[in-house]
Amino acid sequence: MTMYGAVEAGGTKWVCALADTDGRIVATEVVPTTTPDETVPAAVGFFRRHPAPAAVGVATFGPVDLASGRITATPKPGWSGTDVVTPFREGLGVPVGLDTDVNGAAIGELRHGAGRGLHTLAYMTVGTGVGVGVIVGGRPLHGRTHPEAGHMRLPHDTARDPFPGACPFHGDCLEGLASGTSMRQRWGRPAQELGDGEPWELEAEYLALAVHNLVAVVSPQAVIIGGGVGGRPGLLDLVRARAAELAGGYPLDTVITPPGLGNLSGITGAAELARAALNGDENE
């Protein structure tokens, strides 16, 4: 049976997996994200200890240069310029597919999750940071590089929310205002320790503004919101209600839903990147 290698390369851990042709995960291993010299060889080593995959897909934190396979100007210390493709291609002798972690999650949801049957969607992960993957016409959106909607600028009512933002590049962009990092800095406690009320109403405000912008620009059939912060019980109900208010009666309604694959969206999408690489589909 053909097996696909999958890597979800995150800022705190790399999840390595083997998946079968139906997208089922049959083996996994978690590698801590330390330095490139430690983490990347450890991930390659996982596949050497298992039946050789026909191809490997890597869904990585970014930003990433999809042409060169290198992570670019990331705030993750020591990782800017890291080649995340060549070690797998040369170390395993197989084709390697690459995309961002959020595009990978979007692909996973499109093929096997909440996006099945759709052709255009956005996947937003809200955790330590905020990232957005976009599928248009059944394919991940690539332009000059890849979407960086986590850094879109939003209206910021500084009377209501005087917090200046946590993004090291843009201050009060979406990530700077709505990420788990921003919530911890604004409220003095991690998001999971915050009770109901203003913290989550404000979070819903920023996510609803982001959804409004995505719907106005991309016209997705669904916006899927996941991640450690995005999965807070009741949050999506607040986002849906506020997004409807922001639309003001204009037909910008779209489905706002949690991921159908839970925390397996990214690794499932990485396996799909491997499938596409094996089939020679560079636009997958």
Side-chain angles (χ1 to χ4, degrees), residues 23-191:
R24 290 188 294 262
I25 305 300
V26 299
T28 62
E29 182 175 306
V30 174
V31 175
T33 306
T34 56
T35 67
D37 290 343
E38 291 179 346
T39 305
V40 179
V44 174
F46 165 81
F47 297 107
R48 287 179 171 158
R49 294 191 300 274
H50 289 82
V56 172
V58 180
T60 181
F61 69 92
V64 61
D65 183 335
L66 298 176
S68 70
R70 292 181 179 273
I71 294 172
T72 60
T74 176
K76 183 72 175 173
W79 281 84
S80 294
T82 298
D83 185 341
V84 294
V85 169
T86 303
F88 292 96
R89 180 182 291 144
E90 295 184 351
L92 301 173
V94 299
V96 178
L98 174 70
D99 215 316
T100 63
D101 49 0
V102 284
N103 264 355
I107 293 168
E109 288 294 321
L110 178 78
R111 299 281 188 267
H112 303 284
R116 282 179 295 183
L118 307 183
H119 57 74
T120 301
L121 62 84
Y123 179 96
M124 183 189 304
T125 183
V126 187
T128 303
V130 178
V132 180
V134 179
I135 301 288
V136 175
R139 294 179 178 271
L141 180 61
H142 297 141
R144 179 188 61 82
T145 173
H146 52 79
E148 281 288 0
H151 294 283
M152 72 172 76
R153 307 309 291 260
L154 302 175
H156 181 190
D157 182 350
T158 55
R160 178 184 181 186
D161 179 24
F163 179 65
C167 175
F169 297 102
H170 310 117
D172 61 351
C173 61
L174 171 60
E175 179 169 291
L177 292 173
S179 65
T181 299
S182 71
M183 294 188 78
R184 176 177 50 79
Q185 292 183 12
R186 179 190 289 111
W187 303 108
R189 287 184 291 163

Side-chain angles (χ1 to χ4, degrees), residues 195-240:
D196 295 337
E198 178 60 15
W200 294 104
E201 292 168 5
L202 185 63
E203 179 71 4
E205 175 75 13
Y206 291 132
L207 296 185
L209 285 165
V211 168
H212 181 93
N213 290 344
L214 287 170
V215 172
V217 174
V218 180
S219 191
Q221 294 163 289
V223 176
I224 301 169
I225 300 179
V229 174
R232 163 87 176 193
L235 177 60
L236 293 196
D237 290 334
L238 295 174
V239 174
R240 294 184 188 104

